[in-house]
Amino acid sequence: MDRKEALERVKPHLTEHRYVHTLGVRDTALKLAEKEDVEKDKVETAAIFHDYAKFRSKEEMRRIIEAENWNEQFITYGDELLHAPAGAYLVEKEVGIKDEEILSAIFWHTTGKVDMSPMEKIIFLADYIEPNRKFPGVEETREEAEKDMDCAIKMALRNTITFLLKKNQPVFPETLFAYNHLTLNTNG
Ligand code: DGI
Ligand code: FE
Ligand code: FE
């Protein structure tokens, strides 16, 4: 599928705001990909479809996660988590994308995980730092992303965990594991 078709496929599923965000993730992911050993076409496809399920009903997304026997913590740790695994499923079934690297990058884009592949890292980080993102700490993370992708991911995870703690929300275990792992294994 070429870029134009991919954008046409995703657009009806998103609001204007979310579509603009998606274009930002696409541009940022391609920039991050320049320094990594990854297939640029695949990075672009993963970025374009990463929020494909964002506006599906929670019931539909929960049903998918249950039926696939995926970690039930995706259901119990907060509704914002649903669209990542549900998105990987729907992109495969409805759009016909079968590439495991792409699907996995979509699956983990919200929570992150330990030992992410270059593709997973790029999508996770691009989602956090794309130019339309405005939250506190994002500028620092953007600057770090130009120097050291792992350190930037660690900062993004730390910011997200801090945000969740302030709002009295639970933190998905894999997010904490990813943060710990990077804190123990990166400098800066
Ligand atoms: O879909 P986007 O808005 O582009 O971004 P996203 O997929 O990273 O989702 C962001 C939301 O997900 C935000 O409300 C915080 C939430 N989130 C991220 N990591 C965790 C989390 N929520 C919980 N409960 N636990 C997490 O580890
Ligand atoms: Fe998302
Ligand atoms: Fe996103």
Side-chain angles (χ1 to χ4, degrees), residues 18 21 50-51 54 83 109-110 127 133:
R18 185 64 40 182
H21 160 70
H50 85 282
D51 273 340
K54 192 78 179 173
H83 76 284
H109 87 264
T110 302
D127 188 29
R133 296 294 210 191

Side-chain angles (χ1 to χ4, degrees), residues 54 56-63 79-80 82:
K54 192 78 179 173
R56 294 302 175 102
S57 78
K58 295 184 181 29
E59 292 68 34
E60 181 186 9
M61 295 193 287
R62 288 191 195 110
R63 272 200 303 276
D79 291 345
E80 282 295 328
L82 301 170

Side-chain angles (χ1 to χ4, degrees), residues 167-178:
K167 292 210 309 170
N168 226 358
Q169 284 185 19
V171 182
F172 189 75
E174 200 60 41
T175 303
L176 285 172
F177 298 151

